[in-house]
Amino acid sequence: MKENKYDDEQFFNQYSQMSRSVDRLKGAGEWHILKQLLPDFQGKRVLDLGCGYGWHCQYAIEQGAAYVLGIDLSEKMLHEAQKRHTSSRVTYLCSAIEDYEFAPDIFDIVISSLAFHYLESFGDICHKIHRCLAVGGYFVFSVEHPVFTAQGNQDWIYDKQGHPLHWPVDHYFTEGKRTAHFLGEEVLKYHKTLTTYINGLLQAGFELLALREPEPDRALVDKIPGMENELRRPMMLLIAALKKGTHHAHSKEITRDCP
C-alpha cells in the first residue's frame, strides 16, 4: 500500500496553509527557475505526474497546451485542483504514478513537481516516461535535492539557543527509505544520489538539457519566515531532458540559460 499522507485531514490542512498552496506557483521558492526550463506548450499534449493542486496543469493551459492530464494519488489534492481549474482541456486522474498506464508516444511534455522522492525506483519511472513521450518530447521535473534527503529527518543541527548551525549530510551513498519530519508528521521518502538521477535519465535514453540547484526566489526570502536558511544549502534539484530525436530550438535556449 503506497503511503498517502496528503489525504490525512490534519496533514492536508497543514499543507494547504503553505505558501506554495496559498500563493500558487509564485509561492514556490523554485518556480522562478523551473519556469525557465519549461518548453513551449503551444498545441502540446502534457502529462503532469503528482499534479497536486493542479497549478502546473493550469500554467500549461494558459501557455496554449492542447490537453493536460494531471495524475495524483491524493483525492483531496485532486478535489482542490478540480475546484480551481475548470478547463475542458484538463483531465485529472487519481492514481499512483507507478500504476498509471504509460501508453507509447502519447505526450509531448511530461512535468513533475516534487513527487519522485516519494517513489522507490527512479529508473523504472524514467523508462515509462520515455515510452509515453513522442520523439523530441521534453521531460522536466523537480525533486528534493540529495543533500536535503540524505540524512533522513530533514532538519538542521541547532545550537543551545535554537539557531541552525549546519545541515547534516550522512549516509549519502546508502539509497532507500528515509523517515522525514514534515508538517508535524512522519513521512516516508526515498533518498537517491545525484548519480542515480542522472544515470536514470541517460540509461532510459534521454538527453540531458539542464540541471539547476536553485536558490529560493529572493522575494520570498523576505516574505516567508525561515526562508533565508534555504540560501545555505540546496533543497531542490531541477532537471530538463529530451527524448532523443529531432532537436527543437528551445533545447538550445535551455542550455544557453543554464551555467
Side-chain angles (χ1 to χ4, degrees), residues 1-251:
M1 183 68 179
K2 298 175 178 69
E3 183 177 65
N4 179 16
K5 281 286 186 181
Y6 290 89
D7 276 347
D8 177 87
E9 189 73 29
Q10 182 175 342
F11 186 87
F12 183 78
N13 288 339
Q14 292 281 3
Y15 181 82
S16 66
Q17 297 172 41
M18 295 182 67
S19 175
R20 64 177 58 244
S21 300
V22 175
D23 296 327
R24 307 188 180 197
L25 293 177
K26 65 181 181 180
E30 75 285 2
W31 172 242
H32 65 301
I33 301 299
L34 180 60
K35 68 181 179 181
Q36 297 175 12
L37 306 187
L38 295 172
D40 182 6
F41 284 99
Q42 188 66 43
K44 299 299 193 296
R45 303 160 297 171
V46 181
L47 174 63
D48 185 352
L49 296 172
C51 65
Y53 276 29
W55 302 136
H56 296 91
C57 297
Q58 181 185 22
Y59 179 80
I61 291 297
E62 290 171 351
Q63 300 302 309
Y67 170 75
V68 181
L69 174 61
I71 293 176
D72 203 283
L73 182 60
S74 167
E75 292 181 357
K76 286 185 178 294
M77 285 285 200
L78 293 182
H79 178 70
E80 293 298 319
Q82 289 165 341
K83 285 199 307 182
R84 288 168 167 76
H85 319 302
T86 58
S87 172
S88 60
R89 289 181 286 156
V90 180
T91 299
Y92 293 107
L93 175 66
C94 188
S95 171
I97 292 173
E98 309 95 312
D99 296 341
Y100 172 65
E101 181 61 38
F102 289 82
D105 307 319
I106 61 172
F107 293 105
D108 304 298
I109 302 168
V110 175
I111 56 178
S112 182
S113 174
L114 302 178
F116 295 147
H117 46 265
Y118 293 113
L119 308 186
E120 184 171 4
S121 174
F122 181 68
D124 287 348
I125 201 65
C126 279
H127 282 282
K128 292 178 178 180
I129 291 169
H130 190 273
R131 169 182 167 82
C132 80
L133 275 171
V135 171
Y138 288 92
F139 177 26
V140 183
F141 67 94
S142 65
V143 290
E144 290 182 349
H145 197 287
V147 165
F148 188 76
T149 60
Q151 174 71 5
N153 63 354
Q154 299 187 333
D155 201 1
W156 297 88
I157 300 297
Y158 297 94
D159 64 18
K160 293 180 180 179
Q161 289 73 42
H163 303 125
L165 290 173
H166 49 262
W167 185 267
V169 178
D170 199 5
H171 303 293
Y172 180 85
F173 294 107
T174 305
E175 297 191 331
K177 293 181 180 180
R178 299 291 194 272
T179 300
H181 298 283
F182 180 44
L183 300 178
E185 300 276 349
E186 290 190 347
V187 179
L188 177 63
K189 299 181 181 182
Y190 290 89
H191 168 67
K192 306 169 186 70
T193 64
L194 183 59
T195 297
T196 290
Y197 283 119
I198 298 304
N199 283 346
L201 289 166
L202 298 178
Q203 290 168 7
F206 284 102
E207 176 182 340
L208 183 66
L209 297 179
L211 184 153
R212 299 292 294 269
E213 300 166 290
E215 295 181 4
D217 189 336
R218 295 302 175 117
L220 297 180
V221 170
D222 296 329
K223 179 181 177 181
I224 300 176
M227 182 64 80
E228 68 276 3
N229 289 327
E230 302 306 326
L231 298 171
R232 299 174 57 180
R233 54 94 180 92
M235 183 181 182
M236 307 289 185
L237 175 66
L238 315 182
I239 296 179
L242 180 75
K243 181 171 179 177
K244 291 181 179 179
T246 303
H247 282 262
H248 298 290
H250 187 73
S251 66

